[in-house]
Amino acid sequence: MPENLKKWTTAHNLEILKVLNGRSNVYFVWNGTSGLLVDTGKKSSGKKLNKNLQQLKNEGKTIDFLALTHTHYDHCQNAAKIQAQENCKILVSKKEAEFCKNGFTPLPSGTFKFSRIIVGLGKRLKIKRFSYETFKPDILIENELELQEFGGLVRIISTPGHTAGSLSILVDNEIALVGDTLFSIFKNSVFPPFANDVPELIKSWGKLLNTRCRLFLPGHGREISRKLLKEEWQKYHWKPICIS
């Protein structure tokens, strides 16, 4: 039985489908001729992801590109496999290209007491748990890239903070796929429990608000409204960031 995938449609009829949810979200963007997968989730979710991707292919959709919002293990453990089976081009920040060669991206800093404890425990565990199969990116992004295959309606921008190379994908300037630049796991909050550079992160929130995007789809949790993002940005951007 095919799964009923959650879908958003933009003014120019670009489709965004959530092809994986749970611990990590994975999205697929389709314009009728080209397809863009955003992130891949953890290896343990690979079977479910493959099933949903096959559903898309049965409908005539193709996976031409894979954009990684960043290279933490929970976003890219299936990247090498998807690259091999779909022959798609992988897009990643130039700042994280070296991690792809090594198959490991350092864990981010905790922004709360509890998340600092989690990171501390994680660093004591074997590195294998947080590693991934190495892969070679096809396109390295420095600041911004417009995908011509989508008629200028898909733009990838740099939104550092969670990691130095974090990226966000703007679809039709209406909906942004933001990876871990925003989190939606706490009520009425988009502040992440993990980030390497919080002041830079808040600047990236402002950068997202300078687009016309009305909806923001994070790597973890539910969709985020422009209203909530604006409220959070106003709360943090004008004052020193105090990490609890």
Side-chain angles (χ1 to χ4, degrees):
M1 178 73 69
E3 185 173 342
N4 187 21
L5 304 177
K6 185 170 178 60
K7 183 172 76 171
W8 298 264
T9 305
T10 70
H12 289 94
N13 291 318
L14 271 72
E15 294 180 358
I16 302 172
L17 295 138
K18 183 186 279 190
V19 292
L20 189 68
N21 58 20
R23 291 290 295 273
S24 299
N25 297 327
V26 175
Y27 302 97
F28 177 77
V29 183
W30 177 249
N31 71 346
T33 55
S34 297
L36 167 68
L37 190 67
V38 179
D39 290 337
T40 72
K42 295 171 63 177
K43 186 177 181 179
S44 58
S45 301
K47 187 174 181 180
K48 182 178 180 182
L49 177 62
N50 281 332
K51 178 183 175 183
N52 289 339
L53 293 181
Q54 186 59 51
Q55 180 178 326
L56 297 180
K57 291 189 286 185
N58 290 344
E59 297 169 359
K61 296 178 172 67
T62 56
I63 302 163
D64 305 291
F65 298 95
L66 165 59
L68 297 173
T69 59
H70 61 295
T71 58
H72 282 145
Y73 75 103
D74 56 336
H75 292 256
C76 72
Q77 276 190 332
N78 296 304
K81 184 176 181 180
I82 289 173
Q83 183 183 43
Q85 73 183 27
E86 303 300 335
N87 194 31
C88 58
K89 293 181 179 179
I90 295 185
L91 300 87
V92 71
S93 168
K94 186 176 182 179
K95 293 180 179 178
E96 302 199 8
E98 197 65 26
F99 300 145
C100 305
K101 295 179 185 178
N102 299 328
F104 177 76
T105 303
L107 297 177
S109 301
T111 57
F112 300 107
K113 184 177 180 180
F114 82 88
S115 54
R116 288 198 296 273
I117 292 172
I118 291 172
V119 170
L121 290 172
K123 288 180 178 178
R124 294 176 191 173
L125 296 174
K126 291 183 179 180
I127 210 170
K128 185 177 180 181
R129 179 173 180 181
F130 305 108
S131 63
Y132 46 88
E133 186 179 347
T134 60
F135 58 88
K136 184 179 179 181
D138 300 281
I139 301 172
L140 299 180
I141 300 171
E142 292 197 51
N143 294 307
E144 185 174 320
L145 176 71
E146 191 174 275
L147 284 178
Q148 296 303 316
E149 289 80 359
F150 290 81
L153 296 177
V154 171
R155 188 160 54 100
I156 303 174
I157 63 172
S158 173
T159 49
H162 178 71
T163 65
S166 288
L167 302 171
S168 292
I169 295 87
L170 311 182
V171 181
D172 211 353
N173 214 18
E174 285 185 35
I175 300 174
L177 314 179
V178 299
D180 290 358
T181 297
L182 306 174
F183 266 67
S184 183
I185 58 176
F186 304 120
K187 187 176 181 181
N188 298 323
S189 173
V190 302
F191 197 83
F194 307 98
N196 286 330
D197 189 334
V198 174
E200 197 67 25
L201 179 81
I202 305 307
K203 289 180 185 178
S204 291
W205 292 2
K207 190 174 183 179
L208 289 170
L209 285 170
N210 280 333
T211 71
R212 294 198 301 272
C213 289
R214 56 180 173 79
L215 203 61
F216 304 88
L217 306 182
H220 306 276
R222 298 180 179 181
E223 62 190 60
I224 295 165
S225 69
R226 184 179 182 87
K227 178 177 179 291
L228 178 58
L229 175 55
K230 186 175 181 180
E231 289 172 352
E232 288 286 272
W233 178 77
Q234 288 173 334
K235 179 168 41 172
Y236 289 105
H237 88 283
W238 58 271
K239 60 184 180 181
I241 303 299
C242 298
I243 305 302
S244 59

